């Protein structure tokens, strides 16, 4: 099959040539929760701390991402949005995903990845159109090389494989990064996507945000594998695990996987350990299934505070930087407030216009029926 | 750290496969070909005309498909254009979706009707909805070919008439040809469609033969003067004046045979081939029923909440004042598709169709 590399490079210990598929013995961490440099550990690859410039950029994105989550949570409480799945505490994974991709690469987000979607440059109001309830999606995936956030769990992973496969057939060097949650790894499409990606040797990086829960169900009910990253071995792709609240480590690990994929090395699986600080969505009540003590344990591991401490201690965060960064965060918050407080009109004619490239005769008839009903109703309104 | 090179365990297909038979590339002019070959030619011609058309699925490469419908495509177009996938239907349709998002026109094969069910989530939640949820910004020009229905003595899970699931799902175009000519035309139209098409192939027709003019069929797709699409258009398969039989796909043969028998008995039955289940051609079908005033709908699928039910309801709504009798349905029973030795009792046949025709209240007219 031409889809296979002629030789598969097995790098690792000679007694166990497949060992390179296994994740490192512990999750990769470069900056400890207290902001100090993490102690040296024997990871399977050499992961270098990103340069300070990159880390300051990343810090800015984290601050902006946190502000997006806070503002969206507030707006949903005020009834300006139908629903918001918050990613407070998980921003580093999404920021790393964005920073490791080029504009021409593709991102496949889930419903929880609004921060990553906005980080790709998607117009905030277009991104929030579905959360507001105006339409199921608001932006053009081709304009941003960013797929629409997908709700049916793990289904987007196969689309990511298809986008990568098409790019590979055309000889393009596009890389596709697909996000999913820990619970989603139990879905059949997760398995099919990883297997297809490996068999066709396509450039997809699967990034699992293991936030420990699928709504209320903890990871132990999803999988008893040694780690989710170990699943990679079964597909013949390398797996790696990383501290998902350490942006520096994420950039190193995800960046390595992305460049490996770009250079023809094929797919990889990365599991990021993180925690969902809020409920699943505003409609959920996390106190029913987890204790305040458990949540409290994650507070000091916060991705934003950790990087801020590190940069401050290294003398890399000037007053001008912090001023600029908080201005950027306030600016996006204002865009969200203004946009979501503005009244919008959802056009009923859209209901029939897009189901097919050309509406069928039956849909044209139904569109006429609804528009007659609306005309009659507004006439009645005018007479009252 | 050491670097070692290993041969991959799965490699190229074994050497020594049979030499290429004269395939599609050379076929032209007036030819007697099978329904399956017409489908092969449609794919081959579309692939030759458009480099973004890809064919993939289970056993479609080296083997040419379990029904040989993709025969020779890998040999002619290479393994990048026609290839085997891992055995996973959701994977096939999901990957096709991503490829269609990224500029390709995948034509995927589900090996049998009931084995498309693992792909149901991808089909209903993504394939069908992508155009709508993106307000038309992303259209999915992909075709899902499904060999379906029975009449071949097939074992369990190989004979389902599953069209109702797809026709019930807004966003899907659902086509089912019943003639060799339509096999070619409708598959090419499906591949050319900007919308996703579920293309249902009555497997008992695969080896039926007809003589067709391939040059004329191909001329329909000449860039300069393309013929109108078959999508959304029913066909009058037989003219008649006393009653209208409406059928499609695997049941067309029984409908036509019934009309033949009825003619010998002095009753002139018109036969309509719906062929495009979605979009549905109300205009042609209603006009046909109005011209005779009587209608029987024939379909092999279980009748409850079926395509046949939809057709009957639409006729009743549109043609009530032209009808001399209630619209009747002759369908499969509401049971799982039976085992080979019992399928003859299940399939709507000539006798059942003619019994229905006989009960169309002739005495009152
Ligand atoms: C196929 C499918 N089944 C069920 C659901 C309902 N659902 C939405 S989110 C969710 C939990 C997903 O957990 P995980 O994959 O860990 O992602 P997280 O929400 O934690 O980010 C469930 C069960 C769904 N969206 N899709
Ligand atoms: Mg989770």
């Amino acid at each position: 099959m031409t889809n296979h590399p002629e030789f598969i490079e097995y790098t690792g210990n000679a007694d166990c040539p497949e060992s390179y598929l296994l994740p490192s013995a512990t999750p990769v961490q470069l900056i400890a929760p207290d902001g100090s440099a993490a102690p040296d550990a024997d990871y399977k690859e050499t992961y270098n701390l990103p340069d300070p410039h990159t880390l300051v950029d990343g810090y800015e994105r984290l601050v902006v991402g946190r502000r997006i989550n806070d503002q969206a949570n507030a707006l949903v409480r005020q009834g300006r949005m139908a629903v918001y799945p918050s990613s407070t505490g998980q921003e580093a994974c999404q920021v790393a995903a964005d920073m490791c991709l080029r504009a021409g690469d593709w991102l496949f987000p889930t419903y929880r990845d609004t921060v990553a979607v906005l980080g790709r440059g998607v117009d905030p109001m277009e991104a929030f159109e579905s959360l507001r309830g105006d339409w199921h999606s608001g932006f053009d995936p081709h304009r941003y090389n960013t797929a629409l956030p997908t709700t049916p769990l793990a289904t987007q992973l196969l689309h990511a494989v298809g986008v990568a496969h098409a790019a590979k057939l055309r000889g393009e060097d596009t890389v596709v990064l697909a996000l999913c949650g820990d619970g989603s790894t139990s879905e059949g499409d997760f398995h099919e996507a990883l297997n297809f990606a490996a068999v066709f040797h396509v450039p997809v990086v699967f990034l699992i945000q293991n936030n420990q829960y699928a709504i209320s169900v903890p990871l132990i009910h999803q999988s008893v594998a040694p780690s989710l990253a170990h699943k990679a071995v079964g597909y013949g792709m390398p797996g790696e695990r990383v501290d998902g609240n350490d942006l520096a480590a994420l950039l190193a690990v995800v960046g390595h996987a992305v460049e490996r994929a770009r250079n023809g090395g094929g797919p990889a699986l990365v599991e990021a350990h993180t925690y969902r600080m809020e409920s699943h969505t505003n409609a959920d009540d996390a106190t029913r299934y987890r204790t305040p003590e458990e949540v409290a344990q994650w507070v000091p591991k916060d991705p934003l505070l950790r990087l801020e401490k590190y940069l401050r201690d290294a003398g890399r965060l000037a007053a001008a930087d912090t001023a600029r960064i908080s201005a950027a965060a306030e600016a996006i918050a204002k865009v969200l407030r203004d946009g979501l407080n503005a009244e919008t009109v959802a056009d009923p004619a859209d209901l029939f216009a897009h189901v097919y490239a050309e509406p069928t005769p039956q849909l044209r008839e139904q569109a006429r029926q609804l528009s007659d009903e609306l005309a009659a109703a507004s006439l009645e309104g005018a007479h009252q | 750290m050491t670097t070692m090179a290993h041969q991959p365990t799965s490699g190229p297909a074994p050497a020594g496969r049979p030499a290429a038979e004269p395939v599609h590339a050379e076929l032209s002019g007036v030819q007697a070909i099978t329904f399956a070959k017409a489908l092969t030619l449609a794919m081959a011609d579309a692939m030759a005309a458009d480099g973004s058309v890809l064919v993939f699925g289970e056993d479609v490469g080296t083997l040419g498909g379990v029904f040989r419908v993709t025969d020779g495509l890998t040999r002619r177009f290479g393994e990048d254009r026609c290839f085997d996938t891992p055995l996973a239907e959701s994977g096939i349709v999901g990957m096709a979706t991503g490829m269609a998002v990224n500029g390709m026109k995948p034509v995927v094969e589900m090996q049998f009707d009931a084995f498309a069910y693992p792909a149901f989530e991808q089909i209903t939640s993504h394939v069908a909805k992508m155009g709508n949820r993106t307000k038309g910004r992303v259209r999915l020009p992909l075709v899902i070919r499904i060999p379906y229905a029975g009449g071949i003595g097939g074992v369990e899970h190989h004979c389902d008439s599953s069209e109702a699931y797809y026709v019930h799902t807004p966003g899907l175009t659902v086509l089912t040809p019943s003639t060799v000519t339509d096999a070619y035309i409708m598959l090419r139209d499906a591949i050319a469609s900007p919308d996703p098409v579920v293309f249902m192939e009555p497997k008992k027709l695969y080896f039926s033969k007809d003589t067709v003019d391939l040059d004329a069929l191909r001329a329909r797709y000449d860039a300069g003067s393309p013929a109108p699409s078959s999508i959304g258009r029913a066909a009058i398969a037989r003219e008649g004046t006393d009653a209208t039989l409406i059928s499609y796909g695997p049941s067309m043969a029984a409908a036509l045979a019934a009309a033949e028998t009825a003619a010998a008995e002095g009753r002139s039955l018109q036969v309509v081939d719906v062929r495009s289940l979605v979009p549905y051609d109300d205009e042609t079908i209603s006009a046909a029923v109005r011209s005779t005033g009587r209608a029987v709908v024939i379909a092999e699928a279980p009748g409850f909440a079926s395509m046949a039910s939809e057709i009957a309801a639409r006729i009743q709504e549109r043609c009530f004042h032209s009808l001399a009798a209630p619209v009747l349905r002759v369908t499969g029973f509401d049971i799982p598709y039976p085992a080979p030795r019992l399928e003859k009792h299940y399939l709507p046949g000539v006798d059942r169709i003619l019994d229905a025709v006989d009960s169309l209240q002739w005495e009152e007219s």
Side-chain angles (χ1 to χ4, degrees):
Chain A
M1 256 175 89
T2 52
N3 298 307
H4 280 279
E6 215 154 277
F7 294 97
I8 296 176
E9 287 277 300
Y10 285 151
T11 311
N13 126 19
D15 298 331
C16 180
E18 310 76 28
S19 64
Y20 88 106
L21 299 171
L22 283 165
S24 298
T26 56
V28 178
Q29 187 183 72
L30 299 179
I31 299 177
D34 66 2
S36 63
D40 277 346
D42 190 17
Y43 301 125
K44 69 178 198 181
E45 306 282 348
T46 311
Y47 296 117
N48 295 318
L49 198 68
D51 65 73
H53 185 78
T54 304
L55 289 178
V56 172
D57 177 22
Y59 173 69
E60 171 162 354
R61 288 166 178 266
L62 286 180
V63 174
V64 168
R66 178 63 51 85
R67 193 70 186 89
I68 290 167
N69 275 320
D70 289 346
Q71 184 62 73
N73 286 329
L75 284 162
V76 89
R77 281 193 298 272
Q78 295 156 20
R80 301 307 305 178
M81 260 194 291
V83 66
Y84 184 70
S86 168
S87 63
T88 301
Q90 299 180 217
E91 293 93 343
C93 301
Q94 298 182 46
V95 165
D98 284 345
M99 289 179 73
C100 292
L101 294 179
R102 298 178 185 167
D105 294 336
W106 274 82
L107 178 79
F108 278 76
T110 73
Y111 48 85
R112 200 177 296 292
D113 301 315
T114 309
V115 168
V117 168
L118 296 189
R120 293 285 286 169
V122 174
D123 178 277
M125 280 312 106
E126 290 180 9
F128 275 87
E129 189 170 343
S130 61
L131 297 167
R132 175 158 60 189
D134 286 356
W135 195 255
H136 297 313
S137 76
F139 63 89
D140 179 358
H142 285 287
R143 183 158 165 220
Y144 307 101
N145 281 15
T146 300
L148 300 169
T150 304
T151 313
L153 298 171
T155 56
Q156 77 280 6
L157 304 178
L158 282 162
H159 308 164
V161 173
V163 165
H165 198 162
K168 182 188 167 186
L169 288 176
R170 287 195 298 263
E172 298 161 359
D173 70 350
T174 312
V175 174
V176 180
L177 193 150
L179 294 163
C180 81
D182 47 297
S184 304
T185 64
S186 301
E187 292 280 1
D189 277 9
F190 173 85
H191 158 70
E192 297 190 20
L194 269 76
N195 193 44
F196 272 57
V199 168
F200 293 114
H201 201 70
V202 296
V204 184
V205 175
F206 299 95
L207 175 55
I208 304 170
Q209 294 182 66
N210 174 3
N211 63 7
Q212 320 297 332
Y213 286 90
I215 309 185
S216 66
V217 180
L219 183 60
I220 190 66
H221 292 310
Q222 302 292 347
S223 173
V224 293
S227 79
L228 297 177
H230 277 79
K231 293 186 178 232
V233 179
Y235 303 107
M237 71 174 76
E240 185 58 295
R241 47 185 151 178
V242 56
D243 181 336
N245 286 7
D246 175 4
L247 181 64
L250 281 160
L251 290 172
V253 169
V254 177
H256 178 270
V258 166
E259 285 325 303
R260 184 177 170 280
R262 196 182 310 286
N263 296 325
L269 175 65
V270 177
E271 175 190 5
H273 293 244
T274 183
Y275 196 76
R276 196 193 74 210
M277 298 305 287
E278 313 262 351
S279 287
H280 173 68
T281 67
N282 47 297
D284 173 43
D285 175 7
T287 63
R288 291 178 67 96
Y289 51 84
R290 58 188 200 185
T291 62
E293 293 74 34
E294 179 185 307
V295 181
Q297 280 172 25
W298 283 86
V299 173
K301 298 181 189 165
D302 187 78
L304 206 157
L305 297 178
R306 172 187 321 207
L307 187 58
E308 179 173 326
K309 179 86 170 31
Y310 175 84
L311 289 171
R312 278 200 199 290
D313 290 354
R316 293 291 182 175
L317 214 51
D321 287 325
T322 35
R324 174 176 46 80
I325 290 169
S326 33
E330 284 320 305
I332 184 86
K334 181 165 164 30
V335 168
L336 296 187
R337 279 195 308 274
D338 291 352
L340 288 162
N341 284 322
E343 290 307 328
T344 51
V345 201
D347 183 358
D350 273 336
L351 291 171
F352 306 97
H354 311 293
V355 184
Y356 296 92
E358 283 287 323
T360 61
Q362 290 76 20
L363 287 179
R364 281 200 298 271
E365 199 177 301
Q366 290 165 25
R368 262 196 309 278
Q369 180 197 335
L370 178 60
S371 107
D372 289 350
E373 280 172 20
L374 293 171
S378 77
L379 211 62
E380 230 170 76
H383 282 304
Q384 275 163 9
Chain B
M1 285 213 162
T2 55
T3 299
M4 296 181 51
H6 280 245
Q7 287 288 357
T9 44
S10 52
R17 58 170 88 125
E21 49 179 299
V23 273
H24 16 88
E26 296 84 32
L27 274 183
S28 64
V30 177
Q31 296 277 349
I33 58 168
T34 61
F35 189 93
K37 182 63 81 186
L39 296 169
T40 316
L41 289 172
M43 282 184 278
D45 290 348
M47 290 172 89
D50 180 348
S52 64
V53 177
L54 309 173
V55 171
F56 53 93
E58 295 159 7
D59 300 292
V60 301
T62 306
L63 180 66
V66 293
F67 293 105
R68 307 293 180 267
V69 176
T70 57
D71 190 30
L73 296 178
T74 301
R75 276 201 295 280
R76 179 164 165 205
F77 296 100
E79 291 187 333
D80 280 356
R81 302 281 308 279
C82 177
F83 55 88
D84 293 325
T85 64
L87 243 170
E89 294 75 14
S90 188
I92 293 167
V93 174
M95 183 169 79
T97 301
M99 290 178 118
V101 167
N102 198 5
M104 298 298 187
K105 293 179 183 145
V107 182
V108 301
E109 178 173 304
M110 300 283 104
Q111 201 156 65
F112 285 89
D113 31 66
F115 307 137
Y117 302 149
F120 198 66
E121 182 184 26
Q122 286 288 347
I123 296 173
T124 49
S125 292
H126 291 296
V127 172
K129 290 177 177 168
M130 187 71 83
N132 185 65
R133 76 192 288 249
T134 62
K135 289 193 180 168
R137 293 172 185 125
V138 179
R139 291 278 163 211
L140 291 180
L142 67 86
V143 179
I144 302 168
R145 295 183 35 245
I146 306 180
Y148 83 118
I152 55 157
V155 295
E156 197 180 12
H157 311 299
H158 292 70
C159 295
D160 282 13
S161 283
S162 45
E163 66 270 27
Y165 305 126
Y166 307 110
V167 300
H168 188 67
T169 303
L172 299 175
T173 295
V174 185
L175 308 179
T176 182
S178 75
T179 67
V180 173
T181 296
D182 273 356
Y184 181 88
I185 290 175
M186 296 183 76
L187 186 50
R188 288 218 58 183
D189 290 343
I191 296 170
S193 169
D195 291 314
V197 177
V198 175
F199 194 84
M200 309 205 60
E201 303 168 1
K203 60 177 89 69
K204 75 173 176 203
L205 297 182
Y206 275 142
F207 305 107
S208 64
K209 262 197 167 179
D210 197 7
T211 301
V212 297
D213 181 348
L214 288 173
D215 297 343
L217 289 183
R218 286 177 172 137
R220 294 173 59 93
Y221 301 91
D222 283 350
S225 53
S229 173
S230 58
I231 296 176
R233 289 196 169 75
I236 305 296
R238 181 187 172 110
E239 296 294 353
T241 50
D242 294 335
T244 303
L245 306 182
I246 299 143
S247 190
Y248 55 85
S251 305
M252 276 301 293
L256 287 165
E260 193 64 32
T261 307
E265 294 168 0
R267 197 167 267 161
S268 164
L269 300 185
Q270 182 190 39
V271 183
V272 179
D273 182 355
V274 180
R275 71 183 188 156
S276 175
L277 305 186
V278 180
Y280 178 78
D281 188 354
D282 275 312
E283 205 179 310
T284 301
I285 294 163
S286 300
V289 173
R290 282 190 206 105
S291 77
T292 64
R294 287 181 170 82
V296 176
V297 185
I298 303 136
E300 184 176 319
F304 193 86
S306 64
M307 184 71 206
S309 305
E310 179 64 25
I311 295 171
R314 301 187 79 83
I315 292 171
Q316 181 275 130
E317 284 172 348
R318 284 164 180 73
C319 309
F320 186 75
H321 295 291
S322 310
L323 287 174
V327 180
L328 296 184
R329 288 172 294 158
V330 179
T331 67
F333 296 121
D334 296 327
I335 56 173
Y337 194 85
R341 290 179 58 200
L342 291 168
E343 74 175 347
K344 61 175 183 290
H345 303 297
Y346 172 88
L347 293 167
V350 170
D351 288 346
R352 242 175 244 162
I353 296 169
L354 291 178
D355 283 351
V357 170
D358 283 345
S359 64
L360 291 175
Q361 303 183 358
W362 300 96
E363 61 287 348
E364 287 151 38
S365 57

